[in-house]
Amino acid sequence: MTVPDSPVTTVDPVAAATPPSRLSPVRLPVALAMAVAAGLALLLAFPPYGWWPLAPVGVALLAAATHRRRLRAGAGLGFVTGVALFAPLLAWTNLHTGYLPWVLLSLLQAAYLALLGVATAWVSPLVDRFPPVWPVVTGVLWVGQEALRDRTPFGGFPWGRLAFGQDGSPLLRLAALGGAPLVTFAVAVSGGLLVAGLWWLARARRQPTAPRWWVPAAGPGAAVLVLFSTALLVPLGGSARGGSVTVAIVQGNVPRLGLDFNAQRQAVLDNHVDATIELAAQVAAGAREQPDLVVWPENSSDIDPLRNPAAGARISAAADAVGVPILVGAVLSGPEQGQVRNAGLLWRPGTGPDLEQLYIKRHPVPFAEYVPMRDIARMVSKQVDRVRADFVAGTEAGVVRTPAVVLGDVICFEVAYDGLVRDTVTGGAQLLVVQTNNATFDVAEARQQLAMVRLRAVEHGRPALMASTVGVSGFVAPDGRVSDATGFNTRAVVVRQLTLTEGRTLATRIGMLPEVLLAGLAVAALAGAAVLRRRPG
């Protein structure tokens, strides 16, 4: 890809007096290196690395690389950043399914950053004319890109949102005010401030007579510090007048990692039953606290316990032994022939399954739990036929009522979708529960998912937990702190008393309003740049 750069102007009094962003774009080879560095910096912000301060750096590098570029160069640079970010970030998708799904998914996600590169190149005249708006424009464009990527195609794939790499950052607290979109906006604004400061700095250094060339960068640098410091002032935790509940997470583990966990269905179920019965024995001996609820992960019973009497009897034995309800992650047949459902099912001691407290996963994963356009998809890869039965989506929010606590249940990747989690809280959930199966992935994916649980706990001011077949499982306080996190590919049972909270955070009350407003500002910025592009000169 060869795109001619704008001509480099000679330093003279007229050029020295131009606004900072009137500097020529960086040379294309340098811009390409910056695009790669941007993707790698963004990657390192996410677990398992967790170097969250690098996220604004990555944003700044991409913004600087694409500024004043032609649109096709902006697209190319954005795509390079996307590949450098998503190919390693999503590497866990190729562990057991081959390279093709990983490559296709990575390229698809990178295409959205290509659109972002086009957008940042497009708005160059706007930030040239009004340099102080550069950070805000950078922020709204990132929110707009994520809003699109989170929804398209087939319901979107929100993995890799800037907000999900800030689980250790002061900016995480902003989730209580405006959810993940506000956190993404703050990260991108920080990056915009960095690039604006560097642009001013470059302009100042072009002036031989400038005695304090570093002064122009001081303002944006100070603004970044103020932004992070102000985030620390956001109160967290909600009202702690909701009582308490003691919950046990059972991580039964699987005999072997990989797609053949389905062939190990009986062993996986037995692992969770046996671990729960052992917990009951420890409670009876006084070695463990009696829980009010036990949570099993997704796929803990891939044998339909409503149709298989032996599987149902095994779960009943576990519930009767521990003496409290179990939230079972089950695969249920139907409602029609060739269809299945991914469910969270409350199983009560003495009476068995409570079909009134049943959550069916609302967002099955395309090409993993169901195959859209199967005939066409088969032309790309016959691997789609691994999905023999399509999972049917549920229609009701995951509000599960137990005698001790109201649960907000979401299953696996659903934790990444803002609305699915919020619906449980507005429906009365006191405790957020994420049932997941990481047996086909690795510890990096599990830790990335746990980071999302931390954001959701802060966003809605609720305690939360993640229960995984193989790890990582653990509890999260409403302020985002993680407790009792388990290891990966190991059997574990953790029990903890959780303080419940009441009330709703601002983020819960206003829902998607921040995203709508910020995405609307992104559209306005694009329109404003279009007007300036039509003006001569």
Side-chain angles (χ1 to χ4, degrees), residues 179-195:
L182 184 59
V183 178
T184 285
F185 176 70
V187 174
V189 165
S190 301
L193 286 167
L194 292 177
V195 73

Side-chain angles (χ1 to χ4, degrees), residues 15 62 69 72 117 120 185 201 232 263 309 329 340 382 387 393 431 434-435 447 470 512 517:
L62 179 60
R69 292 284 173 195
R72 61 184 180 182
T120 52
F185 176 70
L201 191 63
L232 290 171
V340 290
K382 297 188 184 303
V387 184
L431 170 63
V434 180
Q435 295 177 286
R447 293 200 177 280
V470 299
M512 62 185 298
L517 293 177

Side-chain angles (χ1 to χ4, degrees), residues 190 193 218-232:
S190 301
L193 286 167
V224 171
L225 294 177
V226 169
L227 177 59
F228 278 80
S229 300
T230 302
L232 290 171

